[in-house]
Amino acid sequence: MAERSRIIGIDLGTTNTVVAHVRNRIPKVVPSERGNLVIPSMVALASSGDLLVGGPARDQAVTNPRNTVSGAKRLIGRPFESLAVQELKSALPYEIVPGPDGAAAVKLGERVLTLPEVSSHVLAHAKKVSELSLGGLVTEAVITVPAWYNDNQRSAVKEAGRLAGLEVKRILNEPTAAALAYGFNRKLRKKVLVYDLGGGTFDVSVLQLDNNVFEVLATGGDTFLGGVDFDRRVAEHVVRVFEQLEGMGLSTSPVARQRIQFAAESAKMDLSVIPNVMLELPFITERRGKPVDLRVPLTRDQLNALTQDLVDRTFAIVDGVLAQKGIRRQEIDEVLLVGGQSRMPLVQQAITAHFGKPPRKGVHPDECVALGAALFADSLGALDAVTLLDALFMPIGYAQPSGAFKAVLERNLPIPGARSFRLPPPRESDPAEISLELFQGDAQRAGDNEFLGRLVLPASAAGQKVELRVDAEGLLTVTVGEGANARAHQLSTRDTPEAVRRTLADRDARKAGEPRVAPAPEPGLLSSLKKMFGRG
Ligand code: AMP
């Protein structure tokens, strides 16, 4: 009998996590302790003081929204003060606080958990479920992340894996995993487009498959477009109709909101299969001490009208990604669907209309990423089994003294890959050290991009060569100097708001000695610091 593999593939999703494993060359999803194919990516602190993970956490989410964390994937690896976190803060029912290192963290009861800790509970659960199902220790994993994840986010997922007791053999991009699930060992030569509409984000990638060489040609997406936006449209509609029918406002209590949101999501999913549904929520509010129920009908046509513009937005992004490399729609041989929201009939009709052919059937949108990760994990021992050629999703560069962003690694740069630049030559007025702030994004102002970290160099580094290198996992290394003097540097992203405030204050005090490769951490951070100190 073949030796049992102890490595798993994990699709750590916004909404759900899927685990897969290859046995005798066949990848299969590992069922959860409840026999489901997905584990809800949720962690909760129950009133009993127990930490709940997966299904049990989801079960009590309606009654315990403050202490139930979902959507950690949108927060992990982001500074608390980043625009993304500040925007999510008001939309999420649980409390987001600054962690010890300035990163976003969550507060459950009196406990503050970092996001890698939250995700590590989900990953540890995935590990436990696999061990029960496979009958042995599981110590290694390949974990997938969105193609657009930056260096901080990738590192944070690796850290989560470590905390869960897993050796993360590789961080793999989700669209590449989906393409692997479709094309691995099938001797195909095709251009495929991966259309991934998940719970929170939309991603699109075009890959060239040539036997077991998987090359990403172009990639793009929107990190704030996904199933939850569809749910929100339905929920808003339901509240409007209820208010018209009942002539009264609907309570904005977190429990009522959470119930309506869950009902909206269920209705939306049911409408993928049946043409009309009734949303029913008994005792949603009360009038003069008497319970009032919510009963609102919804048809698929209504759902389509409420969300057509969201679907249209995905195709504007698809066209933009194809245009990056001058690829015509007709050149796409197959469209692969990933993400639960791609099950919506409106999405599938739109794909058929856009590409003149229906999306590929037989690649399961919820499972293919985990299956691809498991296939890749299984192939790791075999030399040259698979070649992955990836591309950089977003430019990486530094902030210039004016605050403008200077890209060094361009979008779609094949990775692994590197580019270098020179620090300006030394000048009389130089400060004692050079501070280099690195960002990732395509905005012209550095502060509008994602802050990756700061590199503090001695003044003697002026004029030296700096190389930015992204490895196969999308992780960044910065090397300063040349030849025997070249030294790899760690980026410090551990700046707490206080530390950044001190740096800014120092710089203000030093007016004349403004560093030449300089300012701006996060835009949100800067503006909140300015507000805090009454400047600007
Ligand atoms: P994922 O992040 O891939 O797990 O996708 C989860 C999203 O897919 C959630 O917003 C779900 O509401 C949505 N979803 C799951 N199944 C369906 C379905 N049958 N029809 C429409 N949306 C769905």
Side-chain angles (χ1 to χ4, degrees), residues 11 13-18 38 73 196-201 226-231 265-266 268-273 303 338-345 365-366:
D11 168 11
T14 309
T15 326
N16 293 308
T17 292
V18 186
V38 298
K73 187 172 180 175
D196 179 355
L197 190 55
T201 60
V228 289
D229 299 299
F230 290 68
D231 303 345
E265 184 183 11
S266 301
K268 173 196 77 175
M269 294 196 287
D270 290 345
L271 287 173
S272 288
V273 188
L303 171 67
V338 182
Q341 190 60 48
S342 71
R343 295 230 196 94
M344 186 184 194
D366 291 339

Side-chain angles (χ1 to χ4, degrees), residues 417-491:
R419 292 264 189 273
S420 54
F421 64 98
R422 263 186 201 283
L423 292 169
R427 274 189 323 198
E428 281 293 308
S429 60
D430 276 349
E433 51 189 30
I434 297 172
S435 167
L436 185 66
E437 272 96 15
L438 295 179
F439 293 83
Q440 185 162 23
D442 51 13
Q444 293 191 342
R445 282 196 47 77
D448 293 339
N449 292 323
E450 191 80 23
F451 178 53
L452 292 185
R454 167 180 291 136
L455 195 67
V456 180
L457 299 166
S460 59
Q464 290 197 6
K465 186 175 141 193
V466 178
E467 185 193 68
L468 304 185
R469 172 175 295 278
V470 176
D471 70 10
E473 290 186 293
L475 293 168
L476 178 70
T477 333
V478 185
T479 309
V480 180
E482 282 166 273
N485 294 328
R487 253 192 73 209
H489 286 260
Q490 286 282 314
L491 278 185

Side-chain angles (χ1 to χ4, degrees), residues 403-426:
F405 176 63
K406 173 75 180 159
V408 179
L409 301 170
E410 73 274 14
R411 177 197 285 274
N412 284 332
L413 171 83
I415 55 175
R419 292 264 189 273
S420 54
F421 64 98
R422 263 186 201 283
L423 292 169

Side-chain angles (χ1 to χ4, degrees), residues 375-422:
L375 282 167
F376 187 71
D378 189 58
S379 78
L380 278 173
L383 219 55
D384 294 336
V386 182
T387 306
L388 303 183
L389 302 170
D390 229 311
L392 189 66
F393 188 83
M394 280 283 183
I396 296 179
Y398 60 86
Q400 292 180 305
S402 60
F405 176 63
K406 173 75 180 159
V408 179
L409 301 170
E410 73 274 14
R411 177 197 285 274
N412 284 332
L413 171 83
I415 55 175
R419 292 264 189 273
S420 54
F421 64 98
R422 263 186 201 283

